[in-house]
Amino acid sequence: MPTQPDRAIRSWDIFCTVIDNYGDIGVCWRLARQLAQEHGHAVRLWVDDLTSFARLAPGLDIAAPEQVLAGVTIRPWRRADQESAEESAARFAGVAPHDAVIESFACDLPATFLAAMAACEPKPAWINLEYMSAEPWVREHHGMASPHPRLPLVKYFFFPGFEPGTGGLLREAMLGMQREHLRTSPAAQAALWRRLGFQPIDGAIKVSLFAYANAALPALLAQWRDGPDPVQCLVPAGLAAQQASEWFGAAGSMAGSAFECGNLTVQVVPFVRQEHYDELLWLCDLNFVRGEDSFVRAQWAGRPFVWHIYPQSDAAHMVKLDAFLALFRHRLEQSGQIEAANALSAFWHSWNKDGESPDWSRLRACLPVLGAATEQWQRSLQHLGDLAANLVAFCENRVK
Ligand code: TRH
């Protein structure tokens, strides 16, 4: 007989602070939508920067004190260093916590809300959703409890990850079907190209390029320009588009801009709502991604990908990069694909180290092998279950 959960969880508060860029809100927004749409739960998402959020969710009204979008209730809030204790107390006065409360990426919860959680009976499930990492210690820390020093509350650490014993990765139930539809439907592909504002170039390698400003980009653009294969590089409007346009000596990097030289065509595509970003990845033969959420999406796309990891001052990001590479390389090495493993590592290292020139022709030669390996990799990741469903089960079974 299946074991009954200790407690049904039907409603969520998710707290998000936008540190920079779109990764924090990207993860929280995806999780919130999934809990609302796939699980039918009530979700209230607290976000401290609605302007950044609106890039991913263009329907958002950044002035609204409360709104419902995609089935999720959205409320603004401020961190303790952004508003006074009195303002925060007034904002949360009378707000009853939901069954589960997520503080994402260790953003501290407001004192008034925490006190309300402590007064609840039963207590809400309290989760700190952590950043994703492939480092081995994640498995030991996933699910760890941390009792509050004063209040009768216990916080649990929930780690996304790539191995059994972690929380897995966010993956919507319909994702595989949607991907197959785009891949097998010329009409859907044609419609997507129209939305992007360009047409496919016959015989060109299609590359999507989402990255931070990157010291290795000029060398890569030069190799694409001078290489034997035509390259059609689709760059979402933003940092990389700006850098590419400067490299071409062009004036603008708005969506619709296009630059050409030798065998390279760079086209700036619109920064789309989050639900549509995957389509760009599915369309391309190679995807450059960054941060956390786009990195995960590239894996579900099942196409070769290059990760520009979020840089940290103490170079901790290189440890994370290598931890992921070690897992991914293991796959390749098991099937004897040593050159593909080495080419990938070398390329990722140059892409993430200032001033090193990435070796495009070496990576190019390995794309078919890397494509097959990524497809296999994403299939095996699915066995970990989807993070949202894992989180629901975790809260229901562990938190009394
Ligand atoms: O934007 P990122 O670099 O985000 C981060 C944050 O900087 C954060 O502070 C850091 O801790 C974290 O990385 C590791 O990269 P990421 O995570 O890929 O987020 C980008 C989001 O933007 C992702 O949800 C996909 C979305 N997106 C769109 O919605 N439309 C688009 O057109 C594109 C290109 C991306």
Side-chain angles (χ1 to χ4, degrees):
M1 264 210 353
T3 49
Q4 288 300 308
D6 291 306
R7 192 173 135 207
I9 300 283
R10 296 284 174 266
S11 65
W12 301 76
D13 279 295
I14 302 178
F15 284 83
C16 174
T17 55
V18 174
I19 306 298
D20 63 358
N21 304 318
Y22 309 113
D24 308 285
I25 184 58
V27 169
C28 291
W29 179 225
R30 193 179 293 291
L31 171 64
R33 285 202 321 271
Q34 235 187 305
L35 291 170
Q37 295 171 357
E38 293 183 12
H39 296 264
H41 292 180
V43 183
R44 186 165 49 191
L45 174 60
W46 301 88
V47 184
D48 72 341
D49 174 358
L50 293 184
T51 306
S52 296
F53 187 3
R55 288 287 322 270
L56 275 60
L60 200 74
D61 175 356
I62 59 169
E66 178 168 313
Q67 62 197 300
V68 178
L69 200 64
V72 176
T73 300
I74 294 156
R75 301 270 306 258
W77 76 300
R78 298 278 171 269
R79 292 192 319 248
D81 58 336
Q82 294 169 329
E83 71 181 358
S84 69
E86 293 74 29
E87 284 167 326
S88 177
R91 185 189 295 280
F92 289 100
V95 176
H98 281 316
D99 298 341
V101 177
I102 311 263
E103 64 175 62
S104 62
F105 315 120
C107 69
D108 284 333
L109 295 182
T112 309
F113 192 82
L114 211 48
M117 284 166 62
C120 287
E121 213 47 72
K123 307 280 181 260
W126 180 16
I127 302 291
N128 179 13
L129 176 63
E130 280 288 349
Y131 286 113
M132 174 207 71
S133 174
E135 291 163 282
W137 57 263
V138 162
R139 274 172 298 169
E140 285 137 47
H141 288 72
H142 175 61
M144 264 174 53
S146 166
H148 191 278
R150 282 181 302 101
L151 298 170
L153 290 169
V154 179
K155 171 159 72 179
Y156 290 85
F157 290 87
F158 194 92
F159 281 87
F162 305 88
E163 293 183 283
T166 71
L169 301 168
L170 286 170
R171 187 179 194 279
E172 296 82 356
M174 304 296 280
L175 191 71
M177 242 176 61
Q178 291 165 342
R179 189 188 79 157
E180 275 329 290
H181 172 67
L182 186 87
R183 286 200 178 164
T184 52
S185 162
Q189 288 168 19
L192 175 54
W193 279 106
R194 276 196 299 279
R195 283 201 299 281
L196 294 172
F198 296 99
Q199 287 303 313
I201 297 173
D202 267 356
I205 299 174
K206 312 285 183 300
V207 178
S208 81
L209 179 64
F210 184 46
Y212 309 110
N214 190 317
L217 183 59
L220 181 60
L221 293 175
Q223 290 176 58
W224 282 341
R225 177 195 60 200
D226 302 334
D229 316 293
V231 173
Q232 182 171 15
C233 176
L234 304 170
V235 195
L239 294 172
Q242 210 173 311
Q243 202 190 351
S245 111
E246 280 161 19
W247 184 79
F248 277 95
S253 58
M254 309 274 286
S257 308
F259 321 107
E260 255 181 77
C261 192
N263 251 340
L264 170 63
T265 304
V266 170
Q267 294 166 333
V268 182
V269 297
F271 192 99
V272 292
R273 68 170 59 243
Q274 194 186 45
E275 294 90 320
H276 291 319
Y277 174 55
D278 293 299
E279 296 170 346
L280 178 65
L281 303 173
W282 301 338
L283 197 65
C284 289
D285 305 304
L286 170 66
N287 294 304
F288 286 73
V289 286
R290 71 184 204 192
E292 178 157 332
D293 189 57
S294 58
F295 172 54
V296 173
R297 306 317 284 183
Q299 293 171 58
W300 297 140
R303 292 274 160 90
F305 61 102
V306 177
W307 186 20
H308 195 182
I309 191 169
Y310 184 73
Q312 290 170 273
S313 52
D314 52 1
H317 60 288
M318 292 308 287
V319 177
K320 277 188 169 188
L321 186 94
D322 282 334
F324 180 83
L325 271 175
L327 288 183
F328 196 81
R329 282 184 62 106
H330 183 64
R331 271 310 153 82
L332 287 158
E333 286 162 355
Q334 269 181 330
S335 49
Q337 302 292 353
I338 310 299
E339 168 53 15
N342 291 340
L344 186 77
S345 297
F347 197 96
W348 282 32
H349 277 166
S350 333
W351 193 240
N352 284 282
K353 281 186 196 150
D354 277 355
E356 277 189 23
S357 177
D359 188 342
W360 167 243
S361 62
R362 188 176 180 198
L363 186 76
R364 165 77 188 89
C366 297
L367 288 184
V369 170
L370 291 171
T374 311
E375 186 56 34
Q376 226 181 45
W377 169 256
Q378 70 91 18
R379 267 194 241 122
S380 70
L381 285 180
Q382 288 182 45
H383 295 305
L384 302 177
D386 147 60
L387 186 145
N390 292 343
L391 187 59
V392 173
F394 181 89
C395 290
E396 291 192 333
N397 292 324
R398 304 257 188 103
V399 182
K400 316 268 163 152

